[in-house]
Amino acid sequence: FIAMLDADTFPVEILRTPQPLIALSWLEQNKAAHRRVWEVFTSNRGLDRHSLHFINLLQDSSVAFPPVKAKKSSYEWYVPKGVIKKDWIHKHQNLIPSVLVLFQELNWNDGELAEKARQCAERVKQIKGALQGRGTKICVVLLQDDISHGYTDSVTNFCTECEISPRSLFVIGTKDLLSAVIRLEATLHELSQNYYHLEIKNVRSHKDALNKSSHMILMIRHMFKIGYLNEMKSDLHSAQ
């Protein structure tokens, strides 16, 4: 739990403006096309673009996220040790993404479409397992040299193989990358808003089950979480 610090010292997490956390996965920095995608997402982020915080999850067979804690059946005899755990803000700022985007280089006319779809499905399955119990939204983005047109059956089969909704599949061309990324960002922002809305709803349900006279510290903890998650959404009015 948050410890006493010097009067003029604050944790880094408190000093940073909360932003929705978006994880970009399988962007390999040793590939020029992948590096350019990362740079377009993270560079020159002016006021004309959505306020988002991106992290790059490297291609690794051991992707892991903080485990989901078991839900308490009752708070009747629970005595909290403080208002908020010291790693809670760090966890939501840097470790638990609201949206995870998996990138795959794939044209619809690729001769190895079926095999690459199988590889992508394995990655999606791995990520879903690592995020089990979380409400993180998972998307797949196909990087194409030039936008190729996939037959309905090709798109359907790909989504079925990866066990994702067609609404979670996006295609961007690397030739007109900036405009494609900006359009995709708008969708990612909307998905992240939905994620934090559900997180707030979940915390509020716990708060409403508390007894104000005997669970005051827990009430404060849940109110802090609701306020902070609203800040993550940039909903400052609801955060107050």
Side-chain angles (χ1 to χ4, degrees), residues 70-95:
K71 294 182 179 179
K72 290 180 174 60
S73 58
S74 172
Y75 287 99
E76 185 175 357
W77 301 107
Y78 178 67
V79 179
K81 297 178 181 179
V83 173
I84 194 76
K85 292 185 177 180
K86 66 179 181 179
D87 64 343
W88 187 87
I89 294 177
H90 169 71
K91 187 168 62 175
H92 287 274
Q93 275 193 3
N94 304 301
L95 301 179

Side-chain angles (χ1 to χ4, degrees), residues 11 20 27 33 35 53-56 65 68 71 79 82 90 106 108 123-124 150 160 167 176 181 191-192 227 229 231:
L27 281 179
R35 190 164 59 250
H53 175 47
F54 294 99
I55 58 172
N56 185 18
F65 300 94
V68 177
K71 294 182 179 179
V79 179
H90 169 71
L106 181 64
W108 291 119
R123 293 172 179 172
V124 172
T160 301
R167 291 179 296 178
D176 188 19
V181 164
L191 290 172
S192 74
L229 290 170
E231 281 196 66

Side-chain angles (χ1 to χ4, degrees), residues 179-218:
S179 59
V181 164
I182 289 176
R183 288 194 300 271
L184 179 59
E185 275 185 7
T187 301
L188 298 181
H189 179 261
E190 182 179 353
L191 290 172
S192 74
Q193 294 287 298
N194 292 336
Y195 167 84
Y196 290 113
H197 173 77
L198 292 176
E199 288 292 298
I200 291 166
K201 185 177 179 181
N202 183 49
V203 175
R204 184 172 282 118
S205 70
H206 287 288
K207 182 179 78 70
D208 292 343
L210 298 174
N211 185 316
K212 184 181 292 186
S213 61
S214 57
H215 296 129
M216 181 57 69
I217 294 179
L218 277 179

Side-chain angles (χ1 to χ4, degrees), residues 13 31 42 52 73 100-101 126 134-135 158-159 191 227:
E13 291 83 3
K31 292 184 177 181
T42 58
L52 300 170
S73 58
L100 190 148
V101 187
Q126 175 194 359
R134 300 278 180 200
F158 184 90
C159 292
L191 290 172

Side-chain angles (χ1 to χ4, degrees), residues 2-12 14-15:
I2 293 178
M4 293 297 292
L5 300 171
D6 294 338
D8 58 348
T9 302
F10 294 93
V12 174
I14 292 180
L15 297 176

Side-chain angles (χ1 to χ4, degrees), residues 3-225:
M4 293 297 292
L5 300 171
D6 294 338
D8 58 348
T9 302
F10 294 93
V12 174
E13 291 83 3
I14 292 180
L15 297 176
R16 201 176 84 192
T17 301
Q19 294 175 295
L21 182 62
I22 310 290
L24 307 182
S25 178
W26 274 277
L27 281 179
E28 301 175 52
Q29 294 299 308
N30 61 338
K31 292 184 177 181
H34 288 206
R35 190 164 59 250
R36 183 163 172 257
V37 170
W38 171 254
E39 289 172 351
V40 171
F41 269 106
T42 58
S43 302
N44 300 317
R45 298 201 60 81
L47 296 176
D48 58 328
R49 297 175 71 173
H50 291 289
S51 177
L52 300 170
H53 175 47
F54 294 99
I55 58 172
N56 185 18
L57 294 183
L58 301 178
Q59 187 170 353
D60 192 334
S61 59
S62 59
V63 174
F65 300 94
V68 177
K69 294 182 180 178
K71 294 182 179 179
K72 290 180 174 60
S73 58
S74 172
Y75 287 99
E76 185 175 357
W77 301 107
Y78 178 67
V79 179
K81 297 178 181 179
V83 173
I84 194 76
K85 292 185 177 180
K86 66 179 181 179
D87 64 343
W88 187 87
I89 294 177
H90 169 71
K91 187 168 62 175
H92 287 274
Q93 275 193 3
N94 304 301
L95 301 179
I96 304 175
S98 59
V99 184
L100 190 148
V101 187
L102 192 154
F103 289 86
Q104 172 88 26
E105 289 186 80
L106 181 64
N107 292 304
W108 291 119
N109 57 2
D110 194 309
E112 299 180 349
L113 176 61
E115 174 60 20
K116 290 184 178 180
R118 186 194 64 78
Q119 293 173 0
C120 187
E122 285 296 319
R123 293 172 179 172
V124 172
K125 182 179 179 180
Q126 175 194 359
I127 288 169
K128 285 183 176 180
L131 286 167
Q132 188 173 11
R134 300 278 180 200
T136 300
K137 313 298 182 183
I138 299 174
C139 303
V140 175
V141 173
L142 301 183
L143 298 174
Q144 301 186 345
D145 296 331
D146 197 4
I147 298 296
S148 61
H149 297 285
Y151 294 108
T152 302
D153 287 347
S154 298
V155 177
T156 301
N157 291 341
F158 184 90
C159 292
T160 301
E161 181 74 29
C162 294
E163 297 184 6
I164 60 171
S165 164
R167 291 179 296 178
S168 299
L169 176 66
F170 304 92
V171 178
I172 62 176
T174 55
K175 290 184 178 179
D176 188 19
L177 193 56
L178 178 59
S179 59
V181 164
I182 289 176
R183 288 194 300 271
L184 179 59
E185 275 185 7
T187 301
L188 298 181
H189 179 261
E190 182 179 353
L191 290 172
S192 74
Q193 294 287 298
N194 292 336
Y195 167 84
Y196 290 113
H197 173 77
L198 292 176
E199 288 292 298
I200 291 166
K201 185 177 179 181
N202 183 49
V203 175
R204 184 172 282 118
S205 70
H206 287 288
K207 182 179 78 70
D208 292 343
L210 298 174
N211 185 316
K212 184 181 292 186
S213 61
S214 57
H215 296 129
M216 181 57 69
I217 294 179
L218 277 179
M219 290 282 291
I220 296 171
R221 175 183 295 184
H222 286 69
M223 290 170 67
F224 176 89
K225 289 182 177 181

